[in-house]
Amino acid sequence: MDKAFLIQFTGSMAAVAVLVGLAAWARIGRPSPGLDEARARDLLAEDFPDRQIDQLWIAREGRGALARSGACALVLIQVGDGYAARRLSWCQASSAMFRNGQLDIRLGEVAAPRAVLAFDNWPPKDLAA
């Protein structure tokens, strides 16, 4: 092995190490703040601008929300460091299975098959008929 090859090989190894380090650093996600009522309303207004929210319930740990808008339910679920919004019928959301403090709403989509929201009780006492 000659000296030029060793210099080129060492430089390439250093460059690869820097790129691997940069990729590892870039994958470190920043913790997203939990949802509060104002932020949940803003996120729902972005995805459903024509819908008026009648009632809103924030999940216990702030990782999701459920809103009633007439005969529709609007669901916010945390996906990575953002939120995904889905619309379904209120009957489907209100009759979802509630077990061990978690409401399991079947969305029926390949990309988001279900939403699991942690509530203290379901249906809530302030639920308007």
Side-chain angles (χ1 to χ4, degrees):
M1 286 200 247
D2 62 345
K3 192 174 185 179
F5 174 77
L6 287 176
I7 292 172
Q8 184 178 4
F9 182 73
T10 305
S12 296
M13 289 281 291
V16 168
V18 167
L19 290 175
V20 168
L22 180 64
W25 174 76
R27 294 180 78 195
I28 298 172
R30 56 180 166 72
S32 61
L35 279 178
D36 60 357
E37 186 171 346
R39 186 160 184 244
R41 286 183 183 274
D42 288 343
L43 290 171
L44 289 170
E46 282 180 23
D47 286 320
F48 307 107
D50 58 335
R51 290 283 179 186
Q52 180 179 352
I53 296 173
D54 301 329
Q55 291 177 294
L56 177 68
W57 299 275
I58 307 294
R60 186 174 45 237
E61 72 282 352
R63 297 185 60 201
L66 177 65
R68 183 171 186 176
S69 175
C72 292
L74 309 176
V75 180
L76 271 179
I77 50 176
Q78 187 173 16
V79 179
D81 62 352
Y83 290 90
R86 298 290 185 264
R87 186 180 85 189
L88 57 144
S89 72
W90 178 250
C91 293
Q92 184 180 354
S94 64
S95 65
M97 184 178 295
F98 183 72
R99 187 183 314 157
N100 299 327
Q102 293 186 332
L103 182 65
D104 188 1
I105 303 171
R106 303 286 177 182
L107 299 175
E109 295 181 24
V110 174
R114 61 187 221 175
V116 179
L117 302 172
F119 292 116
D120 292 328
N121 57 17
W122 190 260
K125 295 176 184 173
D126 62 344
L127 181 64

